Amino acid sequence: MKLTKTLLATSALTVAAGAAFAESHMASEMTLVSWGGAYQNSQQKAYSEPYMEMHPDVSIVWDESSNEAVAKLRAMNEAGNVTWDLVDVTAGDAIRLCDEGLAMEYDPEELLAAAPDGTSAEDDFGDLLVSDCFIPQIVYSTTFGYRTDMVPEGVEPPNDICDVFDLETYPGKRSLEKRPINTMEWALLCDGVAKDDIYDVLETDEGQDQALAKLDTIKDQVIWWSAGADTPQLLADGEIFMGSTYNGRLFSVIEEQDQPVAMMWDAQVYDLDGWIIPAGLPEERLARVKDFLKFATDTQRLADQAKYISYGPARASSAPLVGQHAELGIDMAPHMPTDPANSENTFLQNYSWWADYRDDIDAKFQAWLAQ
Amino acid sequence: MSNASEAPTPDDGLKLTDSENTGPVLAADGTPLKRSLGRALRRQKLRALMLIAPLLIFVLLTFIAPIADMLFRSVENQIVSETLPRTVVALDDWDSTTGDLPSEAVYEAAYYDIFIAAERKLHTRLGSRLNYELTGASSLFRKSGRGLDDLGEVYQDQFEDLNEAWEDGETWALLMGSGDWQDKAYAWEKSSGDLAPKLELREGIEELLPKTAAAYSSFANFVRVDDGDNPATEDPWSLVYTAFWQDLTGGANVASYSGPEAELLMEAANAASGFESTTFAEGFADIDKDWASTPIWQTIKTYSPKYTSGYFLNSVDMQKTPDGPELRDANERIYGILFKRTMFMSMVITISCIMLGYPVAWILANLPARTANLLMILVLLPFWTSLLVRTSAWKVMLQQQGVINDVLVWLGLVGDGDRLVMINNQFGTIVAMTHILLPFMILPLYSVMQTIPPSYLRAAKSLGATNWTAFWRVYFPQSVPGIGAGSILVFILSIGYYITPEIVGGTTGTFISNRIAYHISSSLNWGLAAALGTILLAVVMILYWAYDKIVGIDNVKLG
């Protein structure tokens, strides 16, 4: 008798819970993966905190694993237990994950909100939808910063990418990223190759040798970085005269830490960062992720993010809404890589080209570094 | 007494042996003593095994198995033959060294393979795999997934223009499937949660239209399993139309067919020969000219076996070519340099740890216990600090605007203009790693030295030995086991070190483990990473073996 009662009660509870579950069709927990630091903070402020206000029953867990996201996602996938719901990666990684079948392909029209003026999401994001799996958030750039107090007297401050290779006028150490992407392009550009021909030249063995030969001229003056925080640190310590890093990092050195550093926007290379949805999510979790994504990638939310970090929103319709920094109160527009004054000479990283040549050129580049 | 002799007693066995010398010794219960003893021993062993079982299983599951799995990837290469099964077979007959392109049959096989792989979204994965061997394979496969659809649509459009019925998935179901299967398929509902019924081909259709039947089966299986839909109501892939056209123009005896849609089939058969068509080879060449050159086919053929030595060749700066393994170009050789550098620097770090650690351990061992304990904390303190913090601290110390350079400039020993470069090179790595690994040398040395009685030294001296002789002939030999243990620890730890070289190593101070990390987390070339790791493991084992031969592992003491 007692047992029957308990059984009845339990099954009634299960049914009730099931009904509540079916009603929302969505998981109440979500694990988002991002880069940590100021960038993740901007996402929390602009996306997840307002979302949680609207959905108080949802809890969001942040995992700072974007740096190893590709490898970890592959390992999770092989183990058959993907615990992440949404992963922030660069466009290059997104393409790789998409190729490996680790990221879900999606339909922008269905998943993403249209712009307030009715422009479809596909047109609003435009060319930035570089992969079928990639949901862009921000445009950032890899560009140079230099110490203003180390500019030799009577010389113009550096304002040309080729000043990086000019050791006579601008003596001092430089920092460059310890990988071929961007570095090879800059070297060729300063070795007299026209911007439009760079990838054609870089495809050939001679072109690769040419780029490395150009880099040879400054090799003993270069400190090679592998983490985005390295160059800002080296600049702040006065270890280097100029160095490349992500523009948001330089913004924080210049505006937040007030160091004698200035930007050199010339030949900045645009790159994209955004979300991917891991392949094979269960239905309830996927439903929650879709709901969150529609909110977090709409025009206002992307513009809001720029209040906290100097990365440009990926939607065209967000640009006019970019306002002031939330704490410093300065206008953010002039600090955006996409600002007209900063973007006179720019590159967009050629993802599909690098997807092909990355393994080959990286081997040569690392061999060159090691010699 | 008679009663006593019936009941078994412990010495029964002895008595028995006494009485019948020939028989086996028996235990008290009459079983042979040998077996009885064996059983007791086995039980004991089993109990012991059960006691260590949790640990054993834990180690097996969390340590040995993952490592074995990872190492296995260094030879594993199923992806090519699994993704392109027909192509791999077709390529068997092709001689890759002549420079001729493969035959039309290979292109046909590749069409079917890549089309199906693209539907299952596996073609880009294969592209990434082959891109490690042939630059450009990645985008070639990505492009081809889309391009091959266009190739089949040529036929699809023409069949559909001929008769609208061909647009309809149900026409195909009627033609290809058995009546029994259709009944079941139409009765199936998606909401039931089960998969749709498995396709049963119409009797005789496989002989009549073999390629179509095979293509339609692949399609039906994909719709049923991967999409969870009903193949009877889905419109087929363009691949099925291509196969259909091939069958019809390949001399199918359509007149012999008498099932449903016979008229439709007859009409298609009559029209098919007049269709616009291309060869598969041309179709592939249209997608990308790389398909019309030999390298991609050579690569597929070279990497078609299920297991490959390619990753291992790669990790010793060689590559597989149609003519056998060859050394890579000089400007691509890197792993040899890195292996040598890793060995050399680990050795230098071990030696500097001995040089610095030996006196410290000696002082610790010879001080009164109270003072020694206090100093021991100083040795252990950095041990308890985060590795990253210690490495970053060295950055602050060693960099050009760092503490050491500032002090040297302030003392006037070094001019402000030519500050010393002590970081982002081998020197920085050696200094930082020696500091980090020093406790691993001091601790075993200390515990061995503590067991050396000080009276030995005094005895040596009282017998007339000088300080040096007493140390070198009496003390040092007794401390060798400590040096051995410390050296093994430090060397093996430093050979696989990754974080410190990455931060302070620059370009000349990085280790092989930095490349392994790159291939694991960035390039996703896990096979190559596994091969490099296997070689590293083998080197450590060989060194360990050599050490055992020369010094003897019994002489190693950790305490």
Side-chain angles (χ1 to χ4, degrees), chain B residues 381-393 435-436 497 499:
Chain B
L381 204 60
F383 205 34
W384 297 330
T385 320
S386 154
L387 177 67
L388 273 174
V389 172
R390 276 183 288 164
T391 310
S392 306
H435 169 239
I436 284 161
Y497 235 65
I499 295 176

Side-chain angles (χ1 to χ4, degrees), chain A residues 78 99-100 237 239 356 366, chain B residues 73 124-125 139 400-401:
Chain A
E78 283 187 11
D99 279 355
E100 292 275 335
D237 289 350
E239 279 287 297
D356 277 345
Q366 297 298 337
Chain B
R73 287 167 196 268
T124 48
R125 191 179 296 191
S139 67
Q400 284 193 290
Q401 306 292 327

Side-chain angles (χ1 to χ4, degrees), chain A residues 54-77:
Chain A
M54 290 160 55
H55 304 266
D57 50 330
V58 176
S59 63
I60 294 179
V61 181
W62 288 85
D63 186 335
E64 304 182 1
S65 295
S66 282
N67 223 353
E68 311 94 54
V70 183
K72 281 197 176 176
L73 210 51
R74 176 155 163 188
M76 282 188 195
N77 189 281

Side-chain angles (χ1 to χ4, degrees), chain B residues 164-180:
Chain B
E164 277 180 10
W166 292 116
E167 276 175 40
D168 199 353
E170 290 176 24
T171 312
W172 286 96
L174 203 58
L175 182 67
M176 305 304 297
S178 70
D180 204 24

Side-chain angles (χ1 to χ4, degrees), chain B residues 216-531:
Chain B
Y216 190 76
S217 300
S218 313
F219 158 75
N221 196 39
F222 177 82
V223 170
R224 190 177 145 261
V225 179
D226 293 60
D227 283 352
D229 280 327
N230 188 354
T233 55
E234 292 288 311
D235 300 343
W237 297 332
S238 65
L239 176 88
V240 177
Y241 293 89
T242 313
F244 188 45
W245 178 82
Q246 276 192 292
D247 278 336
L248 292 182
T249 51
N253 184 12
V254 177
S256 69
Y257 177 76
S258 58
E261 307 286 7
E263 274 176 40
L264 197 64
L265 188 62
M266 201 64 208
E267 179 195 22
N270 290 333
S273 54
F275 278 6
E276 174 203 333
S277 66
T278 53
T279 64
F280 288 106
E282 284 167 23
F284 268 92
D286 281 346
I287 294 168
D288 197 300
K289 61 178 178 359
D290 282 353
W291 284 118
S293 62
T294 49
I296 180 69
W297 298 109
Q298 279 168 350
T299 310
I300 294 176
K301 191 176 161 83
T302 315
Y303 285 90
S304 57
K306 281 197 166 68
Y307 299 98
T308 180
S309 57
Y311 291 124
F312 275 104
L313 289 175
N314 243 342
S315 51
V316 290
D317 291 329
M318 296 173 83
Q319 58 189 343
K320 268 179 111 94
T321 64
D323 313 317
E326 268 174 22
L327 214 55
R328 280 181 185 276
D329 294 341
N331 66 348
E332 286 179 29
R333 285 179 218 158
I334 174 166
Y335 300 113
I337 300 176
L338 285 178
F339 271 119
K340 271 184 246 156
R341 182 191 290 166
T342 307
M343 290 297 136
F344 169 74
M345 288 182 56
S346 300
M347 220 109 55
V348 173
I349 289 160
T350 311
I351 292 167
S352 20
C353 276
I354 298 174
M355 301 301 232
L356 290 175
Y358 198 92
V360 175
W362 190 83
I363 291 172
L364 284 175
N366 287 290
L367 280 177
R370 183 191 291 239
T371 335
N373 283 346
L374 193 73
L375 287 178
M376 190 52 122
I377 289 179
L378 292 182
V379 172
L380 288 176
L381 204 60
F383 205 34
W384 297 330
T385 320
S386 154
L387 177 67
L388 273 174
V389 172
R390 276 183 288 164
T391 310
S392 306
W394 276 112
K395 237 174 143 168
V396 176
M397 295 290 284
L398 296 176
Q399 62 186 6
Q400 284 193 290
Q401 306 292 327
V403 177
I404 294 179
N405 264 313
D406 281 350
V407 170
L408 289 177
V409 170
W410 179 71
L411 290 173
L413 292 174
V414 171
D416 201 13
D418 34 39
R419 287 165 175 253
L420 303 177
V421 182
M422 292 183 291
I423 202 163
N424 297 319
N425 53 20
Q426 295 200 351
F427 181 78
T429 312
I430 291 170
V431 169
M433 281 185 58
T434 302
H435 169 239
I436 284 161
L437 295 174
L438 202 51
F440 291 99
M441 181 63 81
I442 295 179
L443 292 177
L445 270 176
Y446 169 68
S447 53
V448 167
M449 285 179 179
Q450 259 193 328
T451 61
I452 306 174
S455 50
Y456 287 9
L457 266 187
R458 286 203 292 273
K461 280 189 206 162
S462 74
L463 289 171
T466 59
N467 276 346
W468 170 251
T469 318
F471 166 75
W472 184 246
R473 302 279 300 276
V474 176
Y475 193 87
F476 182 77
Q478 296 185 80
S479 66
V480 163
I483 296 182
S487 302
I488 286 190
L489 274 177
V490 170
F491 187 80
I492 290 178
L493 278 173
S494 63
I495 220 174
Y497 235 65
Y498 152 69
I499 295 176
T500 307
E502 181 73 28
I503 295 177
V504 300
T507 57
T508 54
T510 48
F511 283 18
I512 191 72
S513 35
N514 297 93
R515 281 314 279 173
I516 297 179
Y518 167 80
H519 285 304
I520 288 280
S521 65
S522 238
S523 78
L524 280 192
N525 194 350
W526 286 11
L528 182 55

